[in-house]
């Protein structure tokens, strides 16, 4: 049995993660972390990871909170040898550097999107970019609910990065075209953000060539797909040695 702590336990995703875990028999929630208490949960909650008691010591912490929580989580993980599943978005370059540094001491599962479908989309985008080459312009459109703070989404950037990796890092990312009146450059990937309503998450990769357009897309119908991925990651990560792990590692382990 994997003992888990949910960081951001009173948030929408934190509650969904708790619900997903409640229906499984290989993992249980022993405590939650959140700066603001909103209601009651069926497990102990604290405002800071350093306040977790010995009775609530986790094997893994699943984080769906805010980038500002990262330093405290990394400190706790390194001090206690606790695995981390980091599902929060909006990290800065310094945050990512700190995550990579901490992974030399503890196991960390870090990906921009916990959905298996999105990670398949990333693999398909790589394949398409390899085959199509420079003959097709690439644009990415991401759509999320009106409460999402960061833009573009971490997933959109992950998709752009995956394409760039197989094209020798030749692309520049363009987020806004209104201030520049010029023709589109062949080495651009346009990334566009839409915020509205209750859209859970939609991502579309457009390969636009001469007289034809190829579109790859993924749409999430509920937040549960991300929660299920995070919980699977937590079970996968328990007992692993220090290092950086991703959804690709989980998928490969599932196929063995």
């Amino acid at each position: 049995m994997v003992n888990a702590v949910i960081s951001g336990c009173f948030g929408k995703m934190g509650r969904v993660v708790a619900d997903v875990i409640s229906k499984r028999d290989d993992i249980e929630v022993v405590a939650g972390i959140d700066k603001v208490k909103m209601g009651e949960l069926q497990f102990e909650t604290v405002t800071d990871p350093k306040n977790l008691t010995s009775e609530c010591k986790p094997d893994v912490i699943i984080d769906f909170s805010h980038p500002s929580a990262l330093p405290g989580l990394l400190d706790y993980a390194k001090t206690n040898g606790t695995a981390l599943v980091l599902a929060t978005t909006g990290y800065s370059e310094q945050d990512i550097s700190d995550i990579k540094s901490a992974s030399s001491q503890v196991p960390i599962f870090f990906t921009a999107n916990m959905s298996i479908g999105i990670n398949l989309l990333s693999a398909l985008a790589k394949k398409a970019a390899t085959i199509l080459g420079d003959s097709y312009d690439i644009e990415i459109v991401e759509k999320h609910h009106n409460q999402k703070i960061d833009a573009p989404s971490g997933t959109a950037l992950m998709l752009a990065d995956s394409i760039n990796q197989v094209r020798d890092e030749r692309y520049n990312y363009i987020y806004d075209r209104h201030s520049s009146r010029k023709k589109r450059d062949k080495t651009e990937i346009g990334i566009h953000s839409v915020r509205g309503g209750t859209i859970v998450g939609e991502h579309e990769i457009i390969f636009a060539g001469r007289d034809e357009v190829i579109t790859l897309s993924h749409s999430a119908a509920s937040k549960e797909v991300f929660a299920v991925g995070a919980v699977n990651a937590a079970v996968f990560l328990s007992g692993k040695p220090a290092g950086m792990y991703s959804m690709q590692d989980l998928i490969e382990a599932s196929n063995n």
Side-chain angles (χ1 to χ4, degrees):
M1 179 69 74
V2 177
N3 291 330
V5 161
I6 301 173
S7 173
C9 58
F10 286 110
K12 292 180 180 179
M13 280 306 305
R15 291 177 185 271
V16 177
V17 170
D19 182 62
V20 169
I21 291 177
S22 71
K23 299 172 183 175
R24 296 180 57 148
D25 56 11
D26 55 351
I27 182 171
E28 66 176 348
V29 181
V30 295
I33 306 169
D34 210 309
K35 290 184 177 180
V36 180
K37 185 173 182 177
M38 295 180 289
E40 296 293 333
L41 297 173
Q42 295 181 331
F43 44 82
E44 178 183 337
T45 63
V46 297
T47 58
D48 192 287
K50 66 184 179 183
N51 296 330
L52 290 169
T53 63
S54 57
E55 291 79 11
C56 298
K57 186 176 181 181
D59 301 310
V60 60
I61 297 176
I62 302 173
D63 178 46
F64 271 105
S65 60
H66 187 271
S68 62
L70 181 66
L73 293 173
L74 292 180
D75 287 344
Y76 179 89
K78 290 185 289 185
T79 300
N80 295 277
T82 306
L84 290 175
V85 175
L86 299 176
T88 297
T89 61
Y91 288 124
S92 67
E93 290 185 7
Q94 183 59 55
D95 290 334
I96 295 174
S97 177
D98 292 341
I99 291 169
K100 291 179 178 178
S101 177
S103 70
S104 66
Q105 301 179 52
V106 294
I108 296 179
F109 194 103
F110 179 53
T111 182
N113 193 295
M114 287 290 170
S115 161
I116 291 178
I118 278 290
N119 285 273
L120 174 59
L121 180 66
S122 176
L124 293 173
K126 287 183 179 181
K127 185 69 173 179
T130 300
I131 294 173
L132 300 175
D134 292 331
S135 299
Y136 288 70
D137 298 322
I138 304 171
E139 299 281 307
I140 296 173
V141 180
E142 57 95 350
K143 304 175 184 178
H144 285 86
H145 53 85
N146 57 23
Q147 300 301 300
K148 187 172 178 62
I149 298 173
D150 56 310
S153 68
T155 300
L157 293 173
M158 179 189 79
L159 294 171
D161 288 344
S162 67
I163 293 170
N164 221 357
Q165 288 170 7
V166 298
R167 299 296 296 153
D168 301 321
E169 304 293 338
R170 70 184 64 191
Y171 293 112
N172 300 311
Y173 303 160
I174 304 299
Y175 306 105
D176 189 1
R177 299 189 188 280
H178 84 277
S179 61
S180 178
R181 294 180 58 83
K182 65 177 183 179
K183 293 182 179 180
R184 188 189 194 284
D185 192 89
K186 295 296 294 183
T187 58
E188 292 179 7
I189 295 181
I191 304 178
H192 314 278
S193 299
V194 175
R195 297 289 177 267
T198 58
I199 302 171
V200 175
E202 297 179 10
H203 291 84
E204 182 178 64
I205 307 171
I206 301 166
F207 293 88
R210 184 178 178 86
D211 298 327
E212 69 175 353
V213 176
I214 300 167
T215 302
L216 303 175
S217 65
H218 176 273
S219 178
S222 78
K223 295 179 181 294
E224 187 164 322
V225 296
F226 311 119
V228 169
V231 174
N232 287 339
V235 173
F236 162 80
L237 206 58
S238 180
K240 289 288 190 296
M244 187 78 83
Y245 298 87
S246 69
M247 187 60 71
Q248 188 60 42
D249 296 306
L250 192 157
I251 293 172
E252 290 177 358
S254 300
N255 291 333
N256 292 334

